[in-house]
Amino acid sequence: VRTYIASGNVLFKSDRPGDVLEGELEAMIEREFGLNVLVLIRSRAQMRNIVSKAPPGFGQRPDVYHSDVIFLKKPLTAAKVMKVIELREGVDQAWPGNGVFYFARLSERRAQSKLSKFASTAEYKLASIRSWTTTTKLAELLEAL
């Protein structure tokens, strides 16, 4: 088991299905710590695909765009999120992915982004946001396991 930065990223090996582990870990954390937290598990192959299937150029201009990957817990899908996410023209961009959606905000106008409105939706309760830098680092660390 290995952690990466203090934002709930835990890397580990298991032969058990991710969806089963998600429920078991959520129950254990609630039982042991009294915390009701969302647990999302992605395999090495899933993380590899999330990184490799990102929109062209996504995350490659950190001086211009703040890029995030929003991880989704089933039954939530990117198609459902794309119906509720609001975008500010000239600031926000979003693309659906498999189990994620990609969101980029123009850095110089980041305070004007509508991403924060997503936090007030029911869908947000089944999502977890990671920066592109964190996402690619987690993928790299999983490859090394």
Side-chain angles (χ1 to χ4, degrees):
V1 174
R2 178 176 180 186
T3 59
Y4 176 70
I5 65 175
S7 63
N9 301 299
V10 180
L11 298 101
F12 61 93
K13 289 183 181 184
S14 176
D15 293 331
R16 313 236 0 251
D19 55 343
V20 172
L21 282 171
E22 285 177 346
E24 290 175 351
L25 290 171
E26 286 172 343
M28 182 189 73
I29 292 168
E30 186 167 8
R31 184 177 61 251
E32 295 295 322
F33 303 105
L35 300 171
N36 184 7
V37 299
L38 180 72
V39 173
L40 294 163
I41 294 179
R42 296 297 185 264
S43 69
R44 179 184 305 148
Q46 288 170 318
M47 289 298 291
R48 186 182 310 125
N49 283 334
I50 289 165
V51 171
S52 69
K53 298 198 186 282
F58 185 81
Q60 295 179 7
R61 302 222 25 228
D63 55 322
V64 178
Y65 294 100
H66 188 84
S67 302
D68 295 305
V69 178
I70 293 83
F71 291 82
L72 309 173
K73 185 174 178 113
K74 290 178 184 175
L76 187 59
T77 64
K80 289 178 186 174
V81 172
M82 294 302 288
K83 291 178 183 176
V84 300
I85 194 82
E86 292 184 44
L87 303 176
R88 183 173 302 277
E89 189 174 333
V91 177
D92 298 324
Q93 300 173 64
W95 303 266
N98 187 6
V100 299
F101 74 97
Y102 303 90
F103 197 94
R105 296 167 283 168
L106 191 60
S107 295
E108 66 183 24
R109 296 180 59 197
R110 193 166 74 190
Q112 298 170 357
S113 173
K114 292 195 175 188
L115 180 60
S116 61
K117 283 190 152 198
F118 178 60
S120 65
T121 67
E123 289 79 6
Y124 182 74
K125 292 178 178 142
L126 293 174
S128 187
I129 301 172
R130 295 294 182 268
S131 71
W132 181 244
T133 301
T134 296
T135 300
T136 56
K137 183 63 175 180
L138 288 169
E140 176 186 314
L141 292 169
L142 281 170
E143 290 296 337
L145 277 181

